[in-house]
Amino acid sequence: MSLNVSALADFNNETAGRIIPKIVYTGNTAEYTSVQEGIKYLEPLNLFEVDLYIQEGYGCATTPSGSATFTQRNLQVCGRQSFDALCLKDLDTKYLGITSLDAGSYNTTWKLAETYSELIVNQMKKKNDQFIWQAVSGSDCMDGLLALTATGSGVVEVPSATTPSLANIDAMIAAIPVDVADRDDLTLFMSVPFFRTYVANLRSANNYYFDPNAIANRGGVLDMVYPFQNVRVVGTAGLGSSTRMVLAPAKQIVVGTDLVSDVDNFVLWFDLNTDSLRHRLSMKLGVQIAYPEFVVSNIA
């Protein structure tokens, strides 16, 4: 006698399976820049510049010389939000209903809510970093850093630096205006693929000073000090697959927002009226460069 099991599906213990959330590379350019809070829509960056004139020191100086100049560059923020609703009753007939829902038919709580929240914040940080770099005023309410450092924007252009070779990076460093050449916040931003190519180029040069442990992952960006220079090289997900490289005094790049904590302090609640678990994430974001003339871009 034999068993006829053709009508049964093969066993798959789905309730014992581990759930692995998809964590993406977030990127956080704002970690290096200045951040200005409290912007609802539009605020100026008030810039102050002194042109000091030195006169001969003999005798009595009676003629005023030099100048103090105030200028402004507007920093506009764009409203950004995410809203979704999950019907937890859809899980009643699935293995996830057994493992992640409490007993009862109301389904007002979900054991994966914390993981769900973390994934939302993680995704938003990545999209915000992309927005800071890739926003275009034609489709967004403001220009991101790629548009702000494009041809004709007033930055120092090194169009020949199309790859992250050591020679090209040296050329961009050589183009830094002398007025900011000694700053301690000079930062060369590039894409993550470019950063990995840069590290490979550094390794291939067989330089004795290359230390693999010098590469740090800080806030979702790859970070390394360029050897023998006061320049930090940063690979950020915000640039995606762009071939643009931007070298600037990072603190002269200003990221504007209404409240920094808006990304983390979003709302997650169960709505009895629609029988769904809902989230709403709302924030404002913008970027501006205080002094474009001190920025070096490869315009790639």
Side-chain angles (χ1 to χ4, degrees), residues 53-91:
Y53 180 75
I54 306 299
Q55 305 181 54
E56 183 180 312
Y58 293 106
C60 299
T62 59
T63 303
S65 60
S67 64
T69 307
F70 291 90
T71 56
Q72 292 181 332
R73 285 176 66 85
N74 286 331
L75 173 54
Q76 183 174 343
V77 295
C78 302
R80 294 167 59 74
Q81 66 176 344
S82 171
F83 173 75
D84 199 3
L86 305 179
C87 178
L88 297 183
K89 288 184 179 294
D90 290 340
L91 299 178

Side-chain angles (χ1 to χ4, degrees), residues 130-146:
Q130 292 172 331
F131 185 77
I132 286 173
W133 282 97
Q134 302 178 28
V136 179
S137 58
S139 55
D140 304 298
C141 77
M142 47 142 273
D143 281 329
L145 290 172
L146 286 179

Side-chain angles (χ1 to χ4, degrees), residues 188-294:
L188 176 59
F189 294 100
M190 62 180 64
S191 68
V192 172
F194 257 32
F195 183 90
R196 298 196 187 284
T197 301
Y198 151 70
V199 171
N201 292 336
L202 199 61
R203 185 182 66 245
S204 298
N206 197 26
N207 294 306
Y208 68 89
Y209 51 75
F210 174 65
D211 178 10
N213 295 321
I215 301 174
N217 190 333
R218 298 174 53 203
V221 292
L222 295 175
D223 176 299
M224 183 181 180
V225 174
Y226 194 71
F228 304 121
Q229 295 285 355
N230 59 324
V231 173
R232 184 171 296 277
V233 182
V234 171
T236 177
L239 277 165
S241 59
S242 173
T243 56
R244 180 73 61 83
M245 294 188 289
V246 175
L247 174 57
K251 295 304 178 183
Q252 291 185 357
I253 299 174
V254 183
V255 173
T257 186
D258 196 348
L259 194 62
V260 170
S261 60
D262 279 342
V263 176
D264 296 292
N265 298 333
F266 73 102
V267 182
L268 182 70
W269 77 101
F270 184 80
D271 184 13
L272 289 173
N273 293 318
T274 59
D275 233 11
S276 60
L277 182 71
R278 299 188 167 216
H279 88 258
R280 183 181 298 279
L281 195 160
S282 184
M283 64 167 301
K284 300 180 182 70
L285 190 65
V287 67
Q288 184 57 273
I289 299 174
Y291 300 100
E293 64 268 26
F294 296 149

